[in-house]
Structure formats: C-alpha cells, structure tokens
Amino acid sequence: MDAVLVANAGSSSVKFQLFGLSERGDPLRLIKGQIDGIGTRPRLRAQARDGSSLADKAYPALEIADVAAAMTVAAEWLRQTQAVKLIAVGHRVVHGGPDYDRPVRIDAEVLARLERLSPLAPLHQPNNLAPIRSLLAHRPALPQVACFDTAFHRVHAPVADRYALPERFYREGVRRYGFHGLSYEYVAGRLREIAPAVAGGRVIVAHLGSGASMCALADGKSVESTMGFTALDGLPMGTRPGQIDPGVLLYLFAEKGLDAAAVENLLYRESGLKGMSGISNDMRELEASDAESAKLAIDYFVYRIGLNAGMLAAALGGLDAFVFTAGIGENSPAIRGRVAEKLGWLGVSLDPAANAAGKSLISGANSKVGLYVVPTDEELMIARHTLALVSARAERAISAGG
C-alpha cells in the first residue's frame, strides 16, 4: 500500500502519523505515534487507527539524543512493522517567510532558505527542519513537502500585512505573517461541513493551546490574526507573553543589561502562563490549583482573549460564529464558558449543558452568534497537501513524457 508519512517535530518530541490512501485517493489515517523525552527519557508510542497500542518502548537517552535521531528511529520502526510503500513525507514548518505562500517540495535550496528563518521561530523552526535535513541526507529520492503555518494568512490585505515602519523593512520581509495556519485551514473546511450556514460568514477561530492565537475568517479566508512577525504576539501562551510593549524590551536591554539571548529565553520559555503563575505552563494544572497566581494567570488569559475577540470582530465588521479549537479550546469547558461570558456584548449566550458535554454546538438557542467546538487536525491537512503536491508533480511528469 502507498502511504504518506506526516512529521511534526518539536524541541523534545517528534509526532508522526502514517496515512494510506482510500479508494477515492484521500488520506486515510493508519497510525498515530510520537517519540517524546528526546535526550532524557526517550519513549516511542504508537496507536493503530482503532486506538489499540502498537508500540510502547523506552530507549537509552544516548540512543535518541536529538530530533534527527528520533526521526530515524520512528522511520525504522515503521519500515519494520508496516507493509507500506512510503511515497512522500509531509512536514509542519512553522515559518515560511515572504517566499512561501503554499506547500512546496523540499530540496537543498528550499532547506537553506528555511534555515535562514530560524531566528524568527527559535522554538520551532530548527526542530521542524532537523528531520528534513536527515531524510535529505539518507533518502534523497524520497519526496518531502513543507507545509507552512504562515501560508494560510498570506492573503491578508496590505493594511493588515504591514507594520508602521519604513518600507524597506517590509521589502526585507518584516511583516505580519500570522501562524497556526494549518489548524485554521482545517477548521475552516470542517466548519463548512458541520455549520454551512455560518461558515461563509464572519467567523473568529480561537486556537487555544500551549501556543495560542486567534484568526478572523471571512468566507473561510484569513483576514486578520493575533500573531505577527513571530509566534510571540497576541494572546498569552504557555511560556510566551503575547502582546507586549516594545518599550519593555528596550528597557530590558538598556536598564537591566540583558543581552539578546537572555531576552529570547525570557520571551519564549519563561513568560506566559508559566511566568505569571510561577507554577506551570499547563492550563490543567492551573485550573486545579488554589494559588492566587494561578487564578491571575487564568484571568489574564481569558481577559486577553476577550480583548482580541473585539479587535477581530471589528476587522470583520461583525460576528456570525466563534469557534474553539486546540488543546485548551477543545478540552476545557471552564475556559470556554468564561470566554463566552466575555463575548456577551456581541450577543453570545452559552448552553451550559452542551458546553459541559463537549458538543460541537455550544451556544444557547437565543444566541446571536454561534459558538462551536471543532477539534483541529493539522496532520490530516499536511497529508492532504503532501499528497496533492506529489500527485500533481507525477501527473506533470506523465504529461511531459507523453
């Protein structure tokens, strides 16, 4: 069976999924797995489509010391246990910069361009690219496709795409990119299936997880996002602060004597829910805590979601639906309820029972705005893009030969 492998590499884990092809040629999820604890306590876990366990194995730390090694181990496990023919690998790549507004087949030149964007996404980009580099070295003939979190937002109008800086910086690529685009693209498509009456209207999608952002959609297309040049802007996140006055950074440099590396570490790893609470970057732990600092962090998270919802509703000229997705958005009825309360001025009313039960539609009967919970599936989106790009390339080759 032909199959597509999807890889989503982070700093200490590699998530992977294997997709076969249905009779119609659509991606069909076969396996979902990950290797976490890279460099400390590596562990491979994998599940079949029905949820049954296929693997649960620990490794010595030195055997899987980095992301590239983890990808090698995952690929070898798949080769030994799965009777499939791998036709392509699709990768989530956080930043596509000004060059890439759609998925692209990866070669050495593309990889070099993407590596230059690593300072704009230091938590993600180097790790996203590590398995790509490894596969290019060991299996150069295997097609690899980069799918970008920024691509979905590249249709923004110029007024939403720019900062109030001299034009030369825009030409150099300093602009508002937006992120979580693969998630928003999937949710926009899924909304057309479950709520076609509102999917073509004015919709805010809140991707609330360890990384968090919000996106304004008009007719399923991105018109504004809370994130900008990097994945630091907008909402507070697990370890990132969200919107911050640039003057704070100048103060840290000039008055506190911090260098660029120290400020980067502060902004990417020590701020957000973790920094405010002093307890954890995990919303589940904060919700279970009685500490006042945990309560403050949650209050701040909800408050900023409410503020940004107002901004995005203004960009849309009104609101027809609000969608929750990602880890917190999909799994925390309490956060959904508090956000809904913040949106009351927009005509939002919540159905508490539907919210507690995790239904797809959680707005009350009299709500002027539909409230939805739509689980995201970035990996399926990557598989679709990868398959489409590889298939189109094969068809062009056949046409050229014929």
Side-chain angles (χ1 to χ4, degrees):
M1 175 191 293
D2 288 348
V4 171
L5 177 64
V6 171
N8 186 348
S11 59
S12 61
S13 68
V14 171
K15 298 177 183 178
F16 62 90
Q17 296 194 23
L18 191 68
F19 291 83
L21 305 184
S22 69
E23 292 182 359
R24 297 184 303 173
D26 299 324
L28 179 66
R29 186 179 283 104
L30 303 175
I31 291 173
K32 180 178 182 179
Q34 70 179 56
I35 296 179
D36 52 24
I38 293 172
T40 55
R41 299 170 126 186
R43 185 178 178 186
L44 165 66
R45 285 174 286 186
Q47 294 179 325
R49 190 181 176 200
D50 62 3
S52 60
S53 176
L54 295 175
D56 191 344
K57 180 180 179 182
Y59 293 81
L62 292 179
E63 190 169 338
I64 305 181
D66 55 29
V67 170
M71 194 65 199
T72 299
V73 168
E76 180 62 18
W77 178 82
L78 288 167
R79 188 187 68 78
Q80 292 179 356
T81 62
Q82 307 303 311
V84 298
K85 176 187 176 185
L86 199 60
I87 61 172
V89 181
H91 300 267
R92 178 195 178 206
V93 177
V94 165
H95 216 307
D99 295 331
Y100 300 110
D101 61 357
R102 65 198 67 192
V104 62
R105 172 81 178 263
I106 302 168
D107 57 22
E109 180 183 350
V110 170
L111 178 59
R113 288 190 178 197
L114 297 178
E115 285 174 333
R116 290 197 289 269
L117 298 171
S118 291
L120 306 188
L123 278 187
H124 304 91
Q125 198 86 348
N127 299 306
N128 297 160
L129 301 183
I132 296 174
R133 190 181 303 106
S134 179
L135 283 171
L136 274 178
H138 294 98
R139 296 192 62 181
L142 179 64
Q144 296 190 76
V145 175
C147 300
F148 303 103
D149 266 337
T150 50
F152 184 67
H153 305 290
R154 293 298 303 282
V155 295
H156 284 179
V159 70
D161 193 38
R162 293 171 181 260
Y163 291 105
L165 293 170
E167 177 66 17
R168 66 181 183 275
F169 292 106
Y170 181 81
R171 292 196 298 268
E172 292 170 3
V174 180
R175 58 189 72 179
R176 292 179 51 82
Y177 291 102
F179 296 87
H180 294 131
L182 291 163
S183 176
Y184 293 129
E185 184 179 9
Y186 176 82
V187 170
R190 185 77 179 110
L191 200 59
R192 292 190 184 278
E193 298 173 3
I194 65 175
V198 300
R202 303 163 298 180
V203 178
I204 294 174
V205 182
H207 178 105
L208 306 179
S210 180
S213 70
M214 295 163 67
C215 178
L217 302 176
D219 193 23
K221 295 181 176 60
S222 174
V223 299
E224 183 58 271
S225 169
T226 57
M227 281 184 169
F229 183 56
T230 70
L232 284 171
D233 203 3
L235 302 180
M237 294 164 252
T239 62
R240 286 168 272 170
Q243 183 182 14
I244 189 169
D245 183 344
V248 173
L249 309 185
L250 296 178
Y251 170 81
L252 295 176
F253 286 127
E255 300 299 326
K256 303 301 291 184
L258 273 62
D259 61 15
V263 170
E264 179 182 288
N265 186 67
L266 173 68
L267 296 178
Y268 279 100
R269 297 175 180 87
E270 300 297 333
S271 299
L273 299 178
K274 177 183 177 182
M276 287 195 78
S277 70
I279 296 172
S280 175
N281 63 336
D282 191 320
M283 181 60 74
R284 293 167 295 188
E285 293 184 29
L286 297 182
E287 288 184 314
S289 174
D290 293 327
E292 284 299 315
S293 61
K295 180 180 182 299
L296 175 62
I298 296 173
D299 288 347
Y300 184 77
F301 185 68
V302 172
Y303 176 69
R304 301 304 298 190
I305 292 170
L307 286 182
N308 280 271
M311 175 190 76
L312 296 179
L316 291 167
L319 191 61
D320 300 309
F322 188 98
V323 181
F324 295 94
T325 194
I328 298 171
E330 295 170 24
N331 297 303
S332 177
I335 294 296
R336 292 197 300 263
R338 293 189 59 182
V339 170
E341 186 177 352
K342 287 287 184 185
L343 303 179
W345 67 277
L346 285 166
V348 169
S349 67
L350 182 73
D351 180 335
N355 181 43
K359 300 289 188 181
S360 293
L361 178 64
I362 60 171
S363 47
N366 297 323
S367 183
K368 295 179 182 178
V369 175
L371 284 179
Y372 296 87
V373 181
V374 180
T376 192
D377 197 335
E378 294 161 305
E379 287 78 13
L380 179 57
M381 204 72 248
I382 294 169
R384 287 173 177 170
H385 283 310
T386 300
L387 185 60
L389 194 62
V390 171
S391 299
R393 187 183 182 92
E395 289 175 6
R396 288 196 298 270
I398 293 171
S399 298

